[in-house]
Amino acid sequence: MSIVLGFSNMLRHSYATHLLEDGVNIVTVKNMLGHAHIETTMVYLHVCQIHEQLPQSPLDNVFALCSRTMK
């Protein structure tokens, strides 16, 4: 039974880590995992490999879409 429990915890931890690395908001991950406190979810942050990204203006996305449709 402990092997199954260990595997399910590993799977849950991996899932949460990948969500955070993919940019899912930590509050969303907290709610998905059913945590009562954000501090519980923050444990997953220590293994995340999040690359620093510059903020992107929503207008950049609009201009990119417009330029693709104009061609």
Side-chain angles (χ1 to χ4, degrees):
M1 182 70 172
S2 65
I3 292 175
V4 173
L5 182 58
F7 179 74
S8 64
N9 284 338
M10 182 178 66
L11 185 61
R12 181 178 170 92
H13 188 86
S14 177
Y15 179 67
T17 302
H18 284 292
L19 287 173
L20 291 169
E21 287 178 344
D22 288 343
V24 176
N25 184 303
I26 192 166
V27 175
T28 303
V29 176
K30 172 193 160 292
N31 293 336
M32 290 174 72
L33 295 177
H35 293 160
H37 304 284
I38 194 72
E39 293 81 9
T40 307
T41 311
M42 289 176 65
V43 170
Y44 298 109
L45 289 174
H46 78 279
V47 293
C48 285
Q49 297 182 11
I50 301 172
H51 303 287
E52 191 171 324
Q53 296 177 345
L54 296 174
Q56 187 174 10
S57 168
L59 290 176
D60 291 339
N61 294 333
V62 170
F63 291 140
L65 287 171
C66 288
S67 68
R68 279 189 235 149
T69 59
M70 296 287 218
K71 294 180 181 181

